[in-house]
Amino acid sequence: MMLEIPEVLSKHEVRSLRALIDAGDWVDGNETSGHQSRLAKNNEQLAQGSDAARQAGEAVIAALNRTPLFIAGALPRNVFPPLFNRYGKGQTFGAHVDNSIRALAGTEFRIRADLSCTLFLEEPELYEGGELVVEDLFGEHRVKLPAGHAVLYPSSSVHRVTPVTRGCRVASFFWMQSMVRDDFSREQLFRLDTTIQRLSAEKGGEDRSVIELTSLYHNLLRRWADI
């Protein structure tokens, strides 16, 4: 399941975050790449572990935690500390698959990467190219969202970033381990959750159908969740 998540950050929050990271130290993007990704990747990355990266990552996590659509779609168990990258003219990231296990260097923190997320931090009209392209059985899905919007997609997907031909593409990216590791099950829970919310708004939380569907949701989550 691919899911667009609008307005994770407000425009003011994007400007504050950009001021923080733009003043930070940027390094070769292959600092965190696996072997296969190194062959395809050409970008810059905010130095992992720097004060700017830590503060910006905490701001992104705080924003995600107050975004109900993200919680409903991801059902996150653990989120890898957000990273930040930028692509200037001619830079790109060819087709690749994210590593199945992500470990935080120097710590015992590691997750199974079930889901990947890109949070856009530059307005789309300010750069050309730089689309996120995610492949699945239905073909290619091209994503280029307003600053502050995010897209969630399975880490198992083959994906790429097209070459930037003008301007600079800036984004945060990270992975998460979901409480529900199976993408199909997670999608069904998301559909059920959004249906419950819609019916609750129409009929009220005490409506019998809302109660029954809520019971079904939690019993399925109880059956499928790994915590």
Side-chain angles (χ1 to χ4, degrees):
M1 179 179 71
M2 287 187 65
L3 180 65
E4 178 181 340
I5 307 172
E7 298 178 342
V8 174
L9 296 174
S10 69
K11 299 303 182 185
H12 173 73
E13 289 171 326
V14 170
R15 288 193 295 271
S16 297
L17 193 65
R18 284 294 304 273
L20 176 62
I21 67 174
D22 288 351
D25 295 325
W26 292 78
V27 298
D28 188 322
N30 280 308
E31 183 184 70
T32 56
S33 298
H35 172 72
Q36 189 266 335
S37 291
R38 286 178 180 272
L39 304 177
K41 189 176 186 180
N42 176 21
N43 65 10
E44 292 181 302
Q45 185 171 302
L46 187 64
Q48 190 175 15
S50 66
D51 287 343
R54 178 182 54 79
Q55 292 176 39
E58 289 174 354
V60 170
I61 292 294
L64 293 171
N65 285 338
R66 63 172 186 263
T67 304
L69 187 61
F70 169 77
I71 301 299
L75 294 172
R77 180 182 180 189
N78 287 304
V79 178
F80 195 89
L83 304 175
F84 300 84
N85 60 18
R86 67 185 181 192
Y87 295 77
K89 185 176 180 179
Q91 292 188 309
T92 184
F93 197 166
H96 65 285
V97 174
D98 291 336
N99 288 354
S100 55
I101 305 297
R102 307 297 311 197
L104 188 60
T107 75
E108 296 184 357
F109 181 87
R110 57 179 41 82
I111 64 168
R112 181 187 66 241
D114 297 320
L115 293 162
S116 300
C117 188
T118 297
L119 172 62
F120 291 82
L121 297 174
E122 182 67 286
E123 297 297 349
E125 65 270 17
L126 297 181
Y127 64 100
E128 293 180 1
E131 294 175 303
L132 172 66
V133 182
V134 181
E135 301 177 16
D136 63 18
L137 293 177
F138 294 96
E140 294 185 346
H141 306 274
R142 293 176 173 264
V143 185
K144 188 176 180 180
L145 301 177
H149 295 221
V151 61
L152 192 66
Y153 55 98
S155 298
S156 55
S157 303
V158 174
H159 55 283
R160 68 183 189 276
V161 175
T162 64
V164 171
T165 59
R166 178 182 64 86
C168 187
R169 176 196 195 267
V170 184
S172 176
F173 65 103
F174 48 94
W175 308 272
M176 64 218 72
Q177 180 171 331
S178 177
M179 291 186 290
V180 178
R181 69 185 298 167
D182 178 67
D183 186 60
F184 176 82
S185 301
R186 197 166 51 246
E187 179 177 351
Q188 304 316 302
L189 285 169
F190 175 75
R191 290 176 179 273
L192 183 55
D193 188 9
T194 54
T195 299
I196 292 168
Q197 292 181 47
R198 185 172 63 251
L199 286 176
S200 181
E202 294 173 357
K203 298 176 177 293
E206 296 182 357
D207 180 81
R208 186 65 186 181
S209 61
V210 173
I211 294 172
E212 290 291 343
L213 288 174
T214 302
S215 174
L216 175 60
Y217 174 88
H218 284 287
N219 285 330
L220 287 174
L221 182 59
R222 200 185 326 273
R223 181 180 183 86
W224 291 338
D226 176 18
I227 59 172

